[in-house]
Amino acid sequence: MQIQRTPQGFVLYKENTPVGHCQCHQQGEGWHLEWLEIDPAWQNRGYGSFFLKKILAQTGGFQPESIHTASGVQSPAAVALLQKFQFRLEGSLWRRVRQREFTPVNMTHLFLQSRLKPGGVYLDATCGNGYDTEFLCRLAQPEGRVLALDIQPQAVDATNARLKRLGLDAIGRAIQADHQHLEQLVQEPLDCAMFNLGYLPGADHSLFTQASSTQKALAAAITLLRAGGILSVCLYSGGVNGFEEKQAILTWLRQLPISQYTVVECGFSNWAEHAPLPCFVIKK
C-alpha cells in the first residue's frame, strides 16, 4: 500500500488501485479533515486505520504539538476510527490536540524564549546531548552565537554532531571543558547562560555535577551576564545526585543581592520533593 498526496488531500492505493480518499487542508496552525472514505469492497480490513495513521504522520500528527480537526463524520465506523486516534467530539467538530508535556526543561525554554532576542551571545554550560544547545542556536539565529561546554567528550561529540545534522553548526559549537573554569573560556558579555545540572542521559550516572564546581561556574556566569541577561539553572536531586548540590546552589541563589539580581524559583507544588527545580537569575 502507498499514499499519494493530491491538491485535495490524500489517496490510498492498494496494488495501484485507489481504495481510500481523504480531503483535508491546512487550517490555522493545524489540519482539517473534511472527509475520509475507504472503498466498500476494502472496508473492515484495517485500511481505514492504516490510512488515517499515515495521514496524521504526514501532517505532523505525531509531533509533540499538533492540532487536527474533522467534520462530516456520521457512520459508527468513522466515529470509532477517530476515537481510536484520540479525536474528541466538541460540539459538531472532532478535535485531536497534542500538547508538549509540561516539564521543568520546557518551562525553562518557554521562559527564555519569551525574553531572549535573536543575535545574542548564549552559553550552554552543560550541553549533554545537545538539546539545550540546539534550542539556544534556534533562538540566536544566524546573527547570534552559542558556545556549549561539557566535561565529557561523548557529550561534546553528540552535541556537535547534532548541530551539524541540523545545519546549526555555523551558529553554535561545543568544546570539552570544565564549566568551573568558565571565566577563562568566555571573554565577552553573555545574554544568557544555561545550566541543566545532574548527569548525562544515557551515560555513566555515577558522573554528575558537583556543588563546589557548579557554584564557581554560576558565579562566573552571572559576572559575565550583561544587564538584562538571564542565568537559568535546573537543579536535580535524589538518586545518585543526592541533595547536596541542590541545597548548596539554592543557598547561594537566595543570598544574591536584590539590588543587582532578581532570583526566581519555579517549584512544582504537587510533585515529589526531589523533582527538578528550574531557577532563573535576571541581572539588573
Side-chain angles (χ1 to χ4, degrees):
M1 290 186 290
Q2 62 178 1
I3 291 180
Q4 179 178 322
R5 187 77 172 268
T6 71
Q8 293 75 35
F10 297 89
V11 178
L12 174 65
Y13 286 88
K14 171 70 172 177
E15 297 176 355
N16 299 320
T17 300
V19 299
H21 300 81
C22 177
Q23 291 184 4
C24 64
H25 60 271
Q26 282 188 284
Q27 182 172 284
E29 297 180 355
W31 284 80
H32 179 69
L33 283 65
E34 297 179 0
W35 175 66
L36 187 151
E37 181 183 63
I38 299 296
D39 187 290
W42 297 90
Q43 290 178 3
N44 301 315
R45 302 186 187 185
Y47 292 122
S49 293
F50 175 84
F51 194 21
L52 182 53
K53 182 178 181 179
K54 292 297 185 181
I55 292 169
L56 291 172
Q58 292 196 31
T59 56
F62 298 108
Q63 296 298 317
E65 297 179 351
S66 65
I67 300 174
H68 286 76
T69 57
S71 60
V73 179
Q74 297 180 350
S75 71
V79 168
L81 180 61
L82 292 180
Q83 290 176 332
K84 178 179 179 179
F85 287 92
Q86 293 81 51
F87 281 82
R88 299 290 181 266
L89 184 61
E90 298 180 6
S92 61
L93 196 68
W94 290 84
R95 287 175 57 85
R96 178 183 186 272
V97 179
R98 284 172 60 94
Q99 294 179 316
R100 190 181 299 271
E101 183 181 359
F102 193 67
T103 67
V105 172
N106 290 341
M107 173 187 285
T108 299
H109 287 187
L110 288 170
F111 180 80
L112 295 178
Q113 194 171 31
S114 71
R115 298 186 65 94
L116 298 177
K117 298 179 180 179
V121 179
Y122 302 147
L123 172 73
D124 182 356
T126 50
C127 66
N129 288 314
Y131 295 102
D132 286 339
T133 311
E134 176 193 343
F135 165 77
L136 290 175
C137 286
R138 296 191 185 282
L139 280 183
Q141 297 186 14
E143 59 268 35
R145 297 190 308 283
V146 178
L147 175 64
L149 311 176
D150 206 288
I151 198 170
Q152 298 189 65
Q154 63 265 44
V156 173
D157 292 342
T159 298
N160 282 328
R162 182 178 188 84
L163 297 183
K164 184 175 182 179
R165 184 174 69 254
L166 296 171
L168 299 171
D169 51 324
I171 302 172
R173 65 186 179 97
I175 63 173
Q176 185 180 355
D178 189 332
H179 60 209
Q180 70 175 314
H181 304 306
L182 184 57
E183 72 282 355
Q184 301 170 20
L185 302 167
V186 181
Q187 304 298 324
E188 58 184 323
L190 295 172
D191 294 280
C192 175
M194 288 187 72
F195 288 75
N196 197 353
L197 303 179
Y199 51 76
L200 174 62
D204 184 356
H205 289 188
S206 67
L207 300 174
F208 50 87
T209 53
Q210 304 286 337
S212 58
S213 58
T214 296
Q215 188 169 322
K216 290 179 182 178
L218 292 172
I222 62 168
T223 300
L224 288 164
L225 285 179
R226 67 174 77 248
I230 304 172
L231 167 70
S232 75
V233 53
C234 195
L235 300 171
Y236 296 84
S237 58
V240 296
N241 288 47
F243 289 85
E244 178 188 358
E245 182 181 47
K246 179 179 180 179
Q247 293 305 319
I249 300 307
L250 283 176
T251 299
W252 177 81
L253 289 172
R254 291 165 182 171
Q255 292 176 350
L256 291 174
I258 193 172
S259 60
Q260 300 177 49
Y261 306 100
T262 295
V263 179
V264 180
E265 297 176 18
C266 302
F268 290 76
S269 299
N270 62 345
W271 287 24
E273 181 184 0
H274 57 267
L277 179 65
C279 301
F280 303 96
V281 178
I282 305 169
K283 192 169 186 176
K284 298 181 179 180

